[in-house]
Amino acid sequence: MSERHPIIAITGSSGAGTSTVTRTFQNIFRREGVTAAIVEGDSFHRFDRKAMKQRMAEEEATGNRHFSHFGEEGNLFAELEQLFRQYAETGTGRTRKYLHNAEEAAPYRQEPGTFTEWEEVPAGTDMLFYEGLHGGVVTEKVNIARFADLLIGVVPSINLEWIQKLIRDKTQRGYSQEAVVDTILRRMPDYVNYIVPQFAHTHVNFQRVPVVDTSNPFIARDIPSADESMVVIRFAKPKGIDFPYLLSMINGSWMSRANTVVVPGGKMEIAMQLIFTPFIWRMIERRQRALGAV
């Protein structure tokens, strides 16, 4: 953790909804005049799209049907840890971009599914903001979670997560249902071993729980809406959280445990605004004091 160069990390699996959380933070940054270095977790995959397909085929030929982007072998954990460490110490570090589609790739004159060259984090940023799969990973070799000043987990109920992934990949990426289900099954061991354990290290977790029937996610025709959901917000260390204020500001909310607030799904963004804006204020105040003391 760092007072002069704080780090916020959003972690959650593919289809969990981390991009929605990112948009909320971008709105806070814009409103509060905060300059953040934005880092996408996909940038720290080990292989580009073509190389990943080839590696998966090679692994499957040896009998390994579970090689995935979720696991250690498919990612640059050491490089991500080094970025967090270096940024926390100096406000610098190396990162790159993963170009998901033709629109993102066009300015770089590259193929979609490739990486840009490594480059330095822009100078003069107030904090680093990471969004991806592995912001809270802890293994025998790395401990990425320890560098995050604010680590947030986005964890929909598992069936909802699958519904979101199935519908997104079929409608936006043109995948067949069979291909998406195969991906879910292939990733499951790495999901259990690398994704789930992160949520023991997060400071705050947001779990969206549908209140409609999702018992068979593979036949769902649409994603349950925000109004058809509740959001469970768990604080690892509730000290300093003004629960009465949150409950008074969010209609329909209640506390299910001493460290847990439940809010209507449609109120998730306002809850994040209310919870995290003071966090960012405190980070910026500590940063200014620390820089002033140098």
Side-chain angles (χ1 to χ4, degrees):
M1 294 186 177
S2 171
E3 290 189 345
R4 286 186 292 172
H5 308 291
I7 296 172
I8 297 174
I10 312 296
T11 191
S13 70
S14 177
T18 54
S19 58
T20 301
V21 181
T22 297
R23 286 195 297 272
T24 300
F25 269 92
Q26 288 174 332
N27 289 334
I28 297 174
F29 293 152
R30 189 180 305 109
R31 186 184 66 234
E32 301 300 328
V34 174
T35 302
I38 307 295
V39 175
E40 295 182 354
D42 289 354
S43 304
F44 286 84
H45 289 331
R46 188 177 299 275
F47 306 104
D48 66 19
R49 189 173 295 164
K50 290 181 179 178
M52 185 64 178
K53 289 181 178 179
Q54 180 179 344
R55 181 61 182 270
M56 284 170 54
E58 293 171 353
E59 292 291 331
E60 189 164 343
T62 68
N64 178 12
R65 295 181 55 83
H66 298 293
F67 186 81
S68 82
H69 278 131
F70 284 8
E72 188 167 12
E73 293 184 2
N75 291 279
L76 303 175
F77 285 173
E79 286 81 351
L80 180 58
E81 182 188 46
Q82 175 59 24
L83 170 64
F84 278 26
R85 177 188 292 110
Q86 186 173 345
Y87 189 88
E89 292 174 354
T90 66
T92 62
R94 296 175 72 242
T95 186
R96 60 182 179 179
K97 297 181 183 298
Y98 177 73
L99 306 174
H100 296 83
N101 51 47
E103 182 179 359
E104 291 183 6
Y108 297 93
R109 298 182 180 179
Q110 294 182 209
E111 292 292 321
T114 60
F115 299 106
T116 63
E117 295 296 323
W118 292 97
E119 58 184 13
E120 292 295 314
V121 169
T125 55
D126 298 312
M127 61 182 62
L128 184 143
F129 181 88
Y130 168 95
E131 179 257 316
L133 296 170
H134 300 115
V137 159
V138 177
T139 71
E140 293 180 356
K141 298 178 182 179
V142 301
N143 186 340
I144 298 169
R146 63 178 166 159
F147 295 105
D149 297 86
L150 178 58
L151 180 57
I152 302 164
V154 184
V155 199
S157 65
I158 189 69
N159 280 17
L160 176 58
E161 184 174 320
W162 289 348
I163 289 172
Q164 291 180 157
K165 179 166 181 57
L166 281 159
I167 292 179
R168 183 197 65 181
D169 284 4
K170 287 192 295 182
T171 59
Q172 297 181 15
R173 300 180 178 180
Y175 296 164
S176 68
Q177 174 142 326
E178 292 73 17
V180 182
V181 172
D182 180 70
T183 297
I184 290 172
L185 294 174
R186 175 165 38 83
R187 290 174 169 178
M188 190 54 62
D190 285 338
Y191 180 89
V192 171
N193 292 316
Y194 293 98
I195 303 299
V196 173
Q198 295 181 86
F199 305 122
H201 306 294
T202 47
H203 301 118
V204 188
N205 279 344
F206 286 78
Q207 184 170 35
R208 188 156 76 93
V209 181
V211 292
V212 295
D213 182 18
T214 59
S215 54
N216 186 344
F218 304 108
I219 63 171
R221 296 184 178 181
D222 50 37
I223 299 171
S225 68
D227 290 336
E228 296 172 324
S229 310
M230 301 299 292
V231 178
V232 179
I233 308 171
R234 188 272 296 174
F235 299 87
K237 296 180 179 179
K239 183 179 179 181
I241 303 299
D242 191 343
F243 289 110
Y245 174 70
L246 288 176
L247 296 176
S248 69
M249 293 295 291
I250 304 174
N251 292 333
S253 62
W254 76 91
M255 296 189 67
S256 60
R257 289 189 175 180
N259 64 344
T260 304
V261 175
V262 182
V263 305
K267 301 294 185 180
M268 179 172 168
E269 182 172 353
I270 186 62
M272 289 184 174
Q273 294 271 357
L274 293 170
I275 292 166
F276 294 127
T277 298
F279 273 87
I280 292 173
W281 288 342
R282 290 193 289 270
M283 285 181 180
I284 294 300
E285 288 172 0
R286 288 197 299 266
R287 168 177 161 78
Q288 291 173 344
R289 288 198 300 268
L291 291 175
V294 175

